[in-house]
Amino acid sequence: MATNATYAAIKELPGAVPVFPLAGAILLPRGELPLNVFEPRYVTMIEDALADPHRMIGMIQPRGGADEDEETALSPIGCVGRITQFAESGDGRYLIVLTGISRFRVAGEIGTVAARGGSSFYRRCAADYTPFAADLEAGRGADAVDRDGLLKTFSAYLDAHEMRIDWDDVGRAPNETLVNALSMMSPFEPREKQALVEAPDLATRAAMLVALAERATARATDDEKPLQ
C-alpha cells in the first residue's frame, strides 16, 4: 500500500516512537499489518499517533515471545509503520492498517504514556534507524531472491498444513512484497519471526523463509506417518 508521506532519508523519521509489543506479530518495510486495537492503553496510543503528523507506531515483539507487560524486555529490533487505514468500530475499538516504513534498533526506552481514563500505559522508545537506512529504498536486493525456490518450498508447506493461498496474487507480487508478506503472515514461532525481522537483506530473509518452511513441512509430514 502506498503512503502519502515519503521518506528519502532516515533523518526524516521520528526519533521517538510509541511501541506496540505483540508476540508473533511483525511488520516489515512496505508490508501491511491490520490490527484490531481494543486495550485502553493502545486505543490511547492510536489516538495520539493520529494526532501526530507522522502517524507512526513501532511494532516490536516482547523478548522471548513472552506476554507483554511493563516489566517485559523488548526485542532489540522492530519496525516503524505509518497508519494508512483507520476506522472506528462503534464499540471503542479501532481497526487500523500499518504500512511498514523502516526497521529500527531500540536505543532505549524514554518513558510511558498513561491511558486516558485508566491506570495502564503504553511505552515509547528512542529509535535508531542507522543500521537500516536501505529499508527506505523499495525493492533493494529483490533481484537476489530465489523466487522459484521460495515458491516451490511454500507450495509444499501450504499443502502439508492444508492451507490455501491466492496464487494469482502471488504471481503478480514483486519479490520484496512476496518475501515480506510471507514473513509476516506465516505462523512461525516468535523467535523465528524475529530472525526474519533482523535478516540483513531480502535474499537472506527469503533463504530463512525457505529453511523455516522446509523444517515445518518435515515436522508435519513426520506427524502424519503411522506409528510402527
Side-chain angles (χ1 to χ4, degrees), residues 14 18 35 42 52 54-55 84 111 117 129 131 149 161 179 186-187 189 198:
L35 291 169
Y42 296 125
D52 184 274
H54 288 291
R55 299 212 310 263
T84 50
Y129 306 98
H161 291 82
V179 171
S186 297
E189 294 297 319
E198 298 182 16

Side-chain angles (χ1 to χ4, degrees), residues 62-167:
R63 191 184 291 272
D67 291 336
E68 190 266 337
D69 61 30
E70 63 269 22
E71 301 298 330
T72 304
L74 302 175
S75 294
I77 295 171
C79 184
V80 72
R82 180 177 169 88
I83 299 174
T84 50
Q85 289 188 32
F86 164 80
E88 297 182 2
S89 66
D91 58 3
R93 293 176 294 122
Y94 288 131
L95 309 175
I96 68 168
V97 173
L98 285 182
T99 298
I101 302 297
S102 173
R103 290 171 293 168
F104 65 92
R105 183 177 294 279
V106 175
E109 293 200 41
I110 54 175
T112 59
V113 178
R116 283 182 277 280
S119 59
S120 61
F121 54 82
Y122 68 83
R123 300 155 77 172
R124 298 174 73 246
C125 289
D128 177 13
Y129 306 98
T130 306
F132 309 109
D135 282 358
L136 298 181
E137 183 181 342
R140 184 183 177 104
D143 291 344
V145 171
D146 179 5
R147 183 185 181 95
D148 291 341
L150 179 62
L151 291 177
K152 180 180 178 180
T153 300
F154 259 83
S155 178
Y157 170 81
L158 293 170
D159 287 345
H161 291 82
E162 298 183 344
M163 299 168 65
R164 297 292 176 263
I165 195 170
D166 188 332
W167 288 106

Side-chain angles (χ1 to χ4, degrees), residues 176-199:
E176 181 187 54
T177 302
L178 176 65
V179 171
N180 287 349
L182 289 175
S183 296
M184 291 170 58
M185 67 181 282
S186 297
F188 298 135
E189 294 297 319
R191 61 182 178 82
E192 296 170 331
K193 302 199 82 166
Q194 187 62 29
L196 294 169
V197 172
E198 298 182 16

